[in-house]
Amino acid sequence: MKESILVQSNHATKRKAGVLMPVSSLPSPFGIGTLGKGAYAFVDWLADSGMKIWQVLPLLPTSYGDSPYQSCASDALNYYFIDFEALKEEGLLQADEYETIVWSDDERRVDYGRLFAYKTEVLQKAFGRFDKTDESWKSFLSAEKYLDFAVFMSLKKRFGYAPWTDWEEPYKTYDERVISAFIAENQREIEFWQFTQFIFLKQWNKLLSYAHAKGISVMGDMPIYVAYDSVETWKYRKDLFVLDEKGNPALKAGVPPDAFSEDGQLWGNPVYDWAKMKENGYAWWKERIRYAFTVFDILRIDHFRAFDKYYAIPEASETAKEGEWENGPGMDLFGDMLEYAIVAEDLGIIDDGVRNLLKNTGYPGMRVFVFAFDGNPKNEYLPSELVENCIAYTGTHDNEPLRSFIENMDKTERKEFECALEKQCLQAEVAYLTETIEDECESIVRLLMSSKADTVIVPMHDVLCLGEEARINAPSTVSERNWTFRFTEKDFKRRKSAWLKSMTEEYRR
């Protein structure tokens, strides 16, 4: 077990700050961020800036919609992030096999279509040169690491990457004998997909060690639900999920209508059969969490409130208006996992049940600045109301950047917001600068840094005071702008690094 960076200690040492930066958004010449030079340069930039945490989004393979929260496997790793230059250094690739490919027409945007078309072709060439007698590789195979993922991807390729519900029999229904025969007949293809995981882990572990040497811990992100088109629903439909006899979701996940969505959010993921899972002590979930801590130092679990109560929507519903709240596992799941450095994403509709679950686990929750200004002087997201055991954010991957949050206000809203913000700054004895929008964004970050919160995380787009163009995701939309924004090497300015460094020293982070 890695030592938690969130354990209680003296106030000076437990205060930390970090930056949210998706791996996909890192600079690289290959259409998407990779685990190569851009990642190492970012770690250096974080260290120079006095940051102690790099928060990433899920490292899972993406599929339709390109969201890392809708993956084909709950523990697989996104082979799009594998770095070609590192493979070249190992003698597994030649430069002309990847440098001649046009990965994107816009250095600011990921083109997932081209990655889908070309990335595995290049990786297949690397696999062809890979030494299959390597002892660590043989051990990887003998332990059947990522075998389920590899089989699933091999079958998806056979059936034109269609969802498993459209596969031909006998493959649509998981059967040990059928799958054993398939593995024997398709050994090379299956081992290729395992190779993508083997290489990813090799590159990731090297990067993680480098980050640790620089004093940086990495916070990962775990989606609570898995996609319907995933290896889990295909293989474990009777053990993990509430599905009907044909394997269709009897209930679907989502959240009810609120101030942000008139119809609520209908995610469509199958919900867990918590009663069934309880029979073996939630073994699948506990193993999933333990595995995550072999990859990350800290783990943010998305939609944590569902462990107390989850919103279940009837299969036939077209919106999330008709769902009901059902009981989750609560402390039955987490009672023997209290030593883990888990961060609970406790946003959305929060009640006393969720609050008690966080209190009993001791996990820090999230406090998001852009949700603080609703006129309630005791809003728990206000900087003045923050508690020590929380993670304070300017915004998350689902929020618009600070700059556009401010610029999109009408005159009345903006005046009210700026009056409330000035009051917060005066209370914290933080200078509130308003000459430019960048001044205002920097004042907000400084305000959070000065707060009681043990940890402050700032998305990179808010560090740079970028606008709507840099938004990571707009929830409940499918768009070429979601999950695609990328930074360039020119974005990592020394002035911003020095500014962050000065705040970590001033506010003992």
Side-chain angles (χ1 to χ4, degrees):
M1 171 62 57
K2 295 185 177 77
E3 181 183 354
S4 167
I5 72 156
L6 299 176
V7 293
Q8 300 301 309
S9 59
N10 70 75
H11 191 64
T13 58
K14 72 181 180 181
R15 288 169 63 80
K16 304 281 194 304
V19 172
L20 168 60
M21 164 67 85
V23 172
S24 60
S25 296
L26 289 167
S28 93
F30 308 121
I32 195 169
T34 73
L35 308 179
K37 293 178 181 178
Y40 286 84
F42 181 63
V43 169
D44 289 341
W45 189 88
L46 287 174
D48 291 343
S49 305
M51 299 293 98
K52 299 300 182 186
I53 301 171
W54 175 10
Q55 181 179 339
V56 298
L57 295 184
L59 299 181
L60 306 176
T62 56
S63 53
Y64 174 75
D66 308 318
S67 170
Y69 294 89
Q70 293 282 353
S71 179
C72 65
S74 66
D75 63 356
L77 300 159
N78 193 340
Y79 47 92
Y80 288 167
F81 299 158
I82 292 173
D83 185 63
F84 291 146
E85 291 177 333
L87 294 179
K88 178 192 170 188
E89 291 172 5
E90 290 188 52
L92 300 181
L93 286 177
Q94 298 171 8
D96 60 3
E97 291 173 328
Y98 54 84
E99 288 183 346
T100 56
I101 297 171
V102 179
W103 294 99
S104 178
D105 294 328
D106 183 351
E107 67 175 354
R108 289 288 189 187
R109 295 287 166 189
V110 178
D111 187 328
Y112 285 98
R114 295 189 194 182
L115 286 169
F116 178 80
Y118 302 130
K119 188 84 182 196
T120 54
E121 284 187 11
V122 177
L123 291 175
Q124 283 278 11
K125 292 173 182 174
F127 181 55
R129 298 188 182 106
F130 179 66
D131 179 9
K132 313 301 191 296
T133 66
D134 180 272
E135 288 299 324
S136 57
W137 168 247
K138 290 196 294 185
S139 175
F140 191 85
L141 290 182
S142 64
E144 298 186 342
K145 295 288 185 70
Y146 301 93
L147 180 60
D148 284 347
F149 163 75
V151 170
F152 189 76
M153 291 302 293
S154 298
L155 282 165
K156 282 189 78 71
K157 184 177 180 182
R158 169 175 286 199
F159 295 113
Y161 291 95
W164 62 264
T165 51
D166 293 341
W167 295 353
E168 297 173 6
E169 295 292 358
Y171 301 107
K172 185 185 294 187
T173 302
Y174 184 90
D175 181 274
E176 288 283 358
R177 288 176 296 177
V178 171
I179 296 307
S180 293
F182 179 80
I183 292 172
E185 295 165 4
N186 297 273
Q187 183 177 352
R188 189 192 185 282
E189 180 66 20
I190 290 167
E191 288 187 5
F192 163 72
W193 289 107
Q194 288 178 284
F195 168 77
T196 66
Q197 305 300 286
F198 179 82
I199 288 296
F200 185 109
L201 282 174
K202 184 177 181 179
Q203 294 187 0
W204 175 259
N205 288 333
K206 184 178 179 182
L207 175 62
L208 194 62
S209 294
Y210 185 82
H212 290 167
K214 292 280 187 173
I216 307 295
S217 297
V218 177
M219 184 193 299
D221 195 324
M222 176 181 286
I224 185 170
Y225 291 116
V226 301
Y228 181 52
D229 183 26
S230 67
V231 63
E232 285 79 17
T233 50
W234 171 64
K235 182 175 180 179
Y236 299 111
R237 67 186 77 170
K238 295 180 180 179
D239 301 315
L240 301 182
F241 307 100
V242 181
L243 305 177
D244 64 21
E245 294 180 357
K246 296 182 180 179
N248 299 315
L251 296 170
K252 295 182 288 189
V255 289
D258 57 22
F260 303 100
S261 177
E262 187 176 314
D263 292 329
Q265 295 181 38
L266 179 58
W267 300 331
N269 309 71
V271 301
Y272 294 110
D273 189 338
W274 290 115
K276 181 82 172 177
M277 287 184 166
K278 186 174 182 178
E279 294 175 4
N280 66 2
Y282 308 103
W284 181 84
W285 254 105
K286 290 185 178 184
E287 178 55 33
R288 186 184 182 199
I289 291 172
R290 291 188 187 103
Y291 163 79
F293 279 94
T294 68
V295 181
F296 306 115
D297 303 300
I298 317 161
L299 181 66
R300 171 193 180 275
I301 301 182
D302 195 53
H303 197 54
F304 192 84
R305 73 104 50 246
F307 293 109
D308 176 61
K309 283 186 171 63
Y310 62 94
Y311 195 64
I313 304 162
E315 189 278 332
S317 299
E318 294 183 1
T319 74
K321 291 181 177 180
E322 301 172 25
E324 294 184 359
W325 290 104
E326 304 284 352
N327 289 327
M331 284 299 292
D332 280 355
L333 172 55
F334 293 103
D336 60 354
M337 308 196 83
L338 303 184
E339 79 277 17
Y340 285 84
I342 289 172
V343 173
E345 188 270 280
D346 57 339
L347 307 177
I349 298 174
I350 302 302
D351 55 24
D352 287 342
V354 186
R355 294 187 183 96
N356 287 333
L357 180 57
L358 260 70
K359 181 179 178 181
N360 290 332
T361 60
Y363 302 152
M366 294 173 56
R367 300 293 180 266
V368 181
F369 175 85
V370 297
F371 295 150
F373 296 87
D374 61 355
N376 176 8
K378 291 297 181 181
N379 184 313
E380 63 183 348
Y381 296 163
L382 283 168
S384 60
E385 298 298 310
L386 296 181
V387 296
E388 290 184 11
N389 189 35
C390 77
I391 316 292
Y393 289 81
T394 53
T396 74
H397 63 273
D398 282 337
N399 295 117
E400 59 185 330
L402 267 183
R403 185 187 192 105
S404 56
F405 168 73
I406 297 169
E407 289 179 334
N408 288 338
M409 296 176 183
D410 62 32
K411 289 184 178 179
T412 301
E413 290 172 331
R414 181 123 177 215
K415 185 176 181 179
E416 291 175 352
F417 167 74
E418 290 179 343
C419 286
L421 181 58
E422 184 177 20
K423 184 178 180 180
Q424 288 287 310
C425 288
L426 285 170
Q427 191 171 340
E429 298 182 348
V430 168
Y432 178 37
L433 306 178
T434 59
E435 186 172 339
T436 67
I437 188 71
E438 187 167 357
D439 286 339
E440 197 161 10
C441 289
E442 289 192 358
S443 294
I444 291 168
V445 174
R446 179 174 292 276
L447 183 60
L448 291 187
M449 290 286 193
S450 73
S451 74
K452 290 182 180 179
D454 287 338
T455 305
V456 174
I457 301 289
V458 184
M460 191 65 194
H461 54 236
D462 286 344
V463 172
L464 300 177
C465 193
L466 299 179
E468 184 65 27
E469 76 283 357
R471 185 169 187 162
I472 298 173
N473 178 54
S476 298
T477 68
V478 177
S479 164
E480 291 183 355
R481 301 191 74 76
N482 289 345
W483 318 111
T484 61
F485 182 79
R486 298 184 62 210
F487 296 92
T488 67
E489 292 179 1
K490 295 178 181 178
D491 291 327
F492 298 92
K493 305 180 189 306
R494 291 183 180 179
R495 186 188 77 78
K496 288 290 186 179
S497 178
W499 166 66
L500 289 174
K501 177 71 171 178
S502 69
M503 284 191 293
T504 63
E505 293 173 348
E506 182 175 356
Y507 301 113
R508 296 173 292 120
R509 293 194 177 276

